[in-house]
Amino acid sequence: VSGTRAFFAGEKVTARRRGAFTSREALKILNLAQKAEYIWYDGSEGSEAKGLLFNEMRSKTKVIPDSVPVGGDFPDWSFDGSRPVFSCPDPIRGENHVLVLCEVLNPDGTPHASNTRAPLKAVVDKMDPSEKPLFGFEQEYTMLGKDGKVYGWPESGYPAPQGPFYCGVGMESVYGRPLAEAHLDCCIRAGLTISGINAEVMPGQWEYQIGPAAEFEMPDHVMVSRWMLHRLGEDMGISVTFEPKPVKGDWNGTGAHTNYSTASTRSVCPLLLNTSQTCQPNGGMEAIEGMIEKLGKRHAVHIAEYGTGNEERLTGKHETCDMNTFRYGVADRGSSIRIPRPVAIAGYGYLEDRRPAANVDPYVVARLLIETTLVL
């Protein structure tokens, strides 16, 4: 018997004795009352006020007497002038409980300064909808123990040098797998578009991938997945940080490589402007190269919004390109934009933007990529 049901079982007996409510009424409360966890972000990830450790996710529980189905019309809640934009099953509480992601509004209903979803919508409204952009977001993160050190690291000194930890197996190579696996399971049960996990280069560092997903689906799912990661960490005594360079020295930083494609890049032929045009071989690759040229021209604009503290990560070392340099290449982990080798061989597909830091705002990444390649 779950704690909730056990409580109500006892409550029904007490209710009969004092005449407060009938057992039928108690069962109605049990079967219909729904916990809705309203989630929002405060826009302060990596800020000077919060520091690089404390995360920006916040949430508050609302009890709804009559359940609202996932995807239904959840009521606004004025804790921060919020408006629900996405909902999914709550895999932690189970039953009929839900997670409700919100965007924050000012009292007059206009988007709050921390609301980065609204500017994304403004850009999406200007793009050609036939391009149907898709994103794959590679969220890296680092686990920290209660002592503030990387989870699993020795009390003094460092573990062995990098090398054997990436995608490793075994207690000597992998730290924190229970949290990574629990998070994966929760994302699947919530219906998020998670496509995988892996241990990363630095021990105690992990990655999960959200996507392929559309322009709002990707950042919405990333934000909910981040909240779940922090929430599960509470139960395991583990903090999670998206700091771009959590350990100084000869250790990899933490990023959020973003894979990006459009209908033009995914096509063997580019989208034809009129039916009299003929298909050219490698049309998708031509579209990719055209996008890369545009991205190079706005490199500084992207870098300025690709995460706080990213300058400590983008140094030209540890599989990065120096942040003041823009270059691309096929299968080049040291480039700003990487074209995967299978894409180069096929002649169509997607590109990988390797510049975003792990603490980047996913709505900002989506907005900038669409704005630079499809709007301007």
Side-chain angles (χ1 to χ4, degrees):
V1 181
S2 70
T4 304
R5 292 186 181 278
F7 169 80
F8 277 108
E11 187 66 28
K12 284 189 291 181
V13 175
T14 305
R16 290 194 192 100
R17 290 173 179 168
R18 67 172 183 258
F21 52 84
T22 67
S23 60
R24 179 175 295 178
E25 290 170 332
L27 283 173
K28 181 179 180 181
I29 294 172
L30 173 63
N31 293 329
L32 295 182
Q34 179 186 49
K35 298 174 189 174
E37 193 70 15
Y38 276 56
I39 299 168
W40 73 101
Y41 57 99
D42 64 22
S44 299
E45 186 81 43
S47 68
E48 184 176 350
K50 269 196 168 183
L52 290 169
L53 173 60
F54 289 95
N55 70 80
E56 67 176 343
M57 303 309 300
R58 297 175 182 261
S59 69
K60 187 175 181 181
T61 305
K62 184 178 185 67
V63 176
I64 301 177
D66 296 316
S67 295
V68 177
V70 168
D73 188 14
F74 286 89
D76 290 2
W77 201 10
S78 59
F79 56 85
D80 262 335
S82 77
R83 178 169 59 199
V85 294
F86 169 76
S87 60
C88 65
D90 184 340
I92 298 173
R93 286 174 168 153
E95 299 184 351
N96 64 335
H97 308 306
V98 293
L99 304 177
V100 181
L101 180 67
C102 303
E103 62 176 348
V104 179
L105 306 176
N106 293 312
D108 62 0
T110 58
H112 187 266
S114 66
N115 183 342
T116 51
R117 197 179 193 273
L120 168 60
K121 184 180 185 305
V123 168
V124 168
D125 288 344
K126 297 177 183 178
M127 76 175 190
D128 179 355
S130 66
E131 282 289 3
K132 300 185 186 317
L134 290 175
F135 301 84
F137 194 83
E138 302 176 20
Q139 179 68 75
E140 294 181 347
Y141 61 95
T142 305
M143 299 183 189
L144 302 176
K146 294 180 179 179
D147 58 1
K149 296 179 180 178
V150 178
Y151 187 78
W153 282 33
E155 292 184 9
S156 60
Y158 298 89
Q162 293 186 154
F165 304 106
Y166 178 67
C167 296
V169 178
M171 63 177 295
E172 74 283 1
S173 301
V174 177
Y175 311 150
R177 189 182 295 276
L179 174 56
E181 290 283 353
H183 180 249
L184 172 62
D185 290 343
C186 281
C187 287
I188 291 172
R189 289 200 297 270
L192 304 186
T193 55
I194 191 165
S195 53
I197 64 171
N198 60 269
E200 267 299 334
V201 177
M202 187 180 78
Q205 185 186 64
W206 284 80
E207 175 187 302
Y208 65 92
Q209 302 91 34
I210 294 292
E215 59 269 19
F216 293 110
E217 184 182 35
M218 180 277 282
D220 286 348
H221 288 203
V222 167
M223 285 303 191
V224 173
S225 70
R226 285 179 175 180
W227 178 89
M228 282 199 291
L229 189 58
H230 294 303
R231 172 62 186 82
L232 291 168
E234 292 178 19
D235 296 339
M236 298 187 182
I238 298 173
S239 294
V240 170
T241 178
F242 299 126
E243 182 177 351
K245 189 70 174 179
V247 182
K248 308 302 185 279
D250 194 19
W251 301 96
N252 270 37
T254 315
H257 302 157
T258 302
N259 302 288
Y260 174 60
S261 71
T262 65
S264 292
T265 70
R266 295 189 297 267
S267 176
V268 176
C269 304
L271 293 179
L272 303 180
L273 298 179
N274 60 66
T275 55
S276 65
Q277 290 179 293
T278 58
C279 176
Q280 299 296 322
N282 297 319
M285 183 56 66
E286 290 179 1
I288 291 171
E289 291 174 347
M291 285 185 174
I292 292 173
E293 182 179 356
K294 294 178 179 180
L295 289 169
K297 292 178 179 178
R298 298 191 80 213
H299 175 63
V301 174
H302 284 247
I303 287 293
E305 297 193 65
Y306 268 5
T308 304
N310 206 15
E311 68 279 359
E312 294 191 29
R313 169 180 162 266
L314 296 181
T315 62
K317 300 178 180 179
H318 304 111
E319 300 179 314
T320 70
C321 182
D322 178 270
M323 71 181 302
N324 296 314
T325 302
F326 180 87
R327 74 168 189 267
Y328 73 97
V330 175
D332 182 1
R333 288 179 175 269
S335 61
S336 310
I337 305 293
R338 179 171 70 161
I339 300 173
R341 189 169 298 281
V343 172
I345 293 173
Y348 62 93
Y350 64 95
L351 60 82
E352 178 190 31
D353 190 344
R354 298 178 61 83
R355 298 170 295 175
N359 61 8
V360 73
D361 185 324
Y363 296 103
V364 170
V365 174
R367 172 178 60 80
L368 287 173
L369 286 172
I370 292 173
E371 183 177 65
T372 297
T373 63
L374 298 178
V375 176
L376 296 180

